[in-house]
């Protein structure tokens, strides 16, 4: 177990830079096997930005020719009810009618954020909406949704790095780590 001390936090490395790079390359080929038509890749900001940047560059080797647009969503977890609210902070500006769309996000946890985005794009006429996530945290799933492409299953821990944050810090880390002494 490799533990790194940063800024008073102890962070346990869960997925190293090289482990992530290898898996992300493989994922691009998994996406290519589905032979997407008129592919639009939609990174869901902000946490996905590094994963999306790497995955999209691997698309080149996998002979995929996506267009890319961005969506920013914010989910509010209402602790008193099981329903979470998702708000669109930034919408794509691309027509998805009859296109295959790949939503790219960092983590699938309750599933509410990606279920909302998927339903929205299907309602707008997308031909097929697929989901690529770096990490699956299946322990707190609240809606029935699965990702077609998943990097790694993640333990039920708070993780940072590779785009993911704790209070907007630690997004720059090139690995994914669990914060041991959070809060
Ligand atoms: P959900 O699937 O709607 O619950 O949303 C998952 C989102 O919650 C992810 O895209 C992250 O933005 C955030 N999230 C969940 N777990 C973590 C974590 O361990 N670290 C950082 N962000 C997290
Ligand atoms: Mg997110």
């Amino acid at each position: 177990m490799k533990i790194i001390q940063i800024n008073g936090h102890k962070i346990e490395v869960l997925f190293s830079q090289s482990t992530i790079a290898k898996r992300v390359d493989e994922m691009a080929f998994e996406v290519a096997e589905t032979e997407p038509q008129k592919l639009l890749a939609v990174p869901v900001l902000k946490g996905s930005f590094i994963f999306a940047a790497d995955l999209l560059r691997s698309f080149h080797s996998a002979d995929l020719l996506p267009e890319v647009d961005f969506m920013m969503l914010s989910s509010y977890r209402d602790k008193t009810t099981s329903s979470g609210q998702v708000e669109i902070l930034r919408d794509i500006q691309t027509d998805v009618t009859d296109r295959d769309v790949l939503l790219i996000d960092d983590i699938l946890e309750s599933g509410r954020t990606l279920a909302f985005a998927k339903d929205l794009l299907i309602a707008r006429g997308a031909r097929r909406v697929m989901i690529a996530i770096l990490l699956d945290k299946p322990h707190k799933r609240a809606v029935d949704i699965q990702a077609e492409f998943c990097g790694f299953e993640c333990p039920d821990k708070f993780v940072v790095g590779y785009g993911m944050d704790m209070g907007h810090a630690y997004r720059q880390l090139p690995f994914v780590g669990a914060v041991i002494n959070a809060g």
Side-chain angles (χ1 to χ4, degrees), residues 141-156:
R141 196 79 91 243
V143 297
D144 183 21
I145 188 165
Q146 280 176 2
E148 282 77 6
F149 314 101
C150 170
F152 306 96
E153 180 156 333
C154 182
D156 190 14

Side-chain angles (χ1 to χ4, degrees), residues 89-106:
L89 301 180
R90 197 261 178 207
D91 204 346
I92 52 169
Q93 289 163 332
T94 312
D95 184 1
V96 297
T97 310
D98 293 329
R99 300 185 70 158
D100 284 346
V101 180
L102 180 70
L103 287 164
I104 303 175
D105 207 352
D106 53 357

